Amino acid sequence: MSQFTHFNKQGRTQMVDISNKEDTVRAAVAKTSIEMKKEVYEQIVRQEIGKGDVLAVAQVAGIMAAKNTSNIIPMCHPLPLKAVDIVFDWKEVQHFYKLIIEVTAKTKGSTGVEMEALTAASVCALTIYDMCKAVDKGMTIGKTYLVEKTGGKSGHYIRE
């Protein structure tokens, strides 16, 4: 079992030792989406949701999630994030509206920021669901995935 970096000599879980890894600039882009009825879309863009400005709150929640990833994902290292950016893009799909959420996270350190970007995207979508569920409990959170990552020993990854 010792060839797996997340297991110690006894086969028990451990936090990976990254103390000998070189600090490099690292970035990750993650995406997710949330699909909703036209009524919810219209209330969001007109800022008529009773809990407040949905996209502003979701953006802050996503940034906070990125900053706290190591507190909720057990084997993640705490990272000194240098930037987190969240952008939204609306798409009309048949009779529904889909909000695409894209998160870019950056750091300079010895481990990547993929988990921070993915966590931020997920929490952003969950926050939108929470703020709008009184209007539509049938909203659907879509696939969450890594789009791209740069930096570190494993190099540049781009999703096909």
Side-chain angles (χ1 to χ4, degrees):
M1 279 248 177
S2 63
Q3 73 268 20
F4 294 110
T5 58
H6 282 82
F7 297 103
N8 67 16
K9 292 176 187 171
Q10 295 180 329
R12 297 187 180 278
T13 303
Q14 70 173 359
M15 188 178 211
V16 174
D17 182 357
I18 60 171
S19 59
N20 291 325
K21 289 176 77 178
E22 187 177 329
D23 281 359
T24 59
V25 175
R26 297 160 184 267
V29 178
K31 281 189 178 182
T32 194
S33 63
I34 183 165
E35 196 172 279
M36 63 199 66
K37 295 177 184 175
K38 183 177 181 180
E39 175 187 5
V40 182
Y41 159 77
E42 289 174 348
Q43 288 186 30
I44 290 172
V45 297
R46 291 191 303 235
Q47 295 189 16
E48 295 174 347
I49 297 290
K51 292 184 177 183
D53 183 338
V54 173
L55 299 186
V57 173
Q59 196 163 29
V60 172
I63 292 167
M64 290 175 63
K67 291 167 55 174
N68 285 287
T69 299
S70 67
N71 292 327
I72 57 174
I73 308 293
M75 298 304 155
C76 282
H77 294 84
L79 296 181
L81 289 172
K82 304 300 183 191
V84 177
D85 186 26
I86 301 172
V87 295
F88 302 107
D89 185 27
W90 287 104
K91 303 279 186 207
E92 188 173 358
V93 182
Q94 296 168 3
H95 301 293
F96 292 92
Y97 283 79
K98 181 185 274 191
L99 180 62
I100 310 299
I101 302 162
E102 181 177 283
V103 177
T104 302
K106 293 182 180 178
T107 193
K108 184 174 185 181
S110 53
T111 191
V113 290
E114 298 94 324
M115 292 307 300
E116 287 71 14
L118 289 162
T119 301
S122 299
V123 169
C124 196
L126 288 167
T127 299
I128 292 166
Y129 185 94
D130 178 57
M131 292 186 73
C132 300
K133 67 184 180 223
V135 182
D136 179 14
K137 288 177 181 44
M139 290 175 288
T140 304
I141 295 174
K143 294 179 183 178
T144 303
Y145 56 93
L146 183 67
V147 175
E148 182 176 9
K149 81 156 231 48
T150 59
K153 200 165 93 176
S154 63
H156 193 166
Y157 166 83
I158 299 177
R159 184 180 184 90
E160 295 178 7

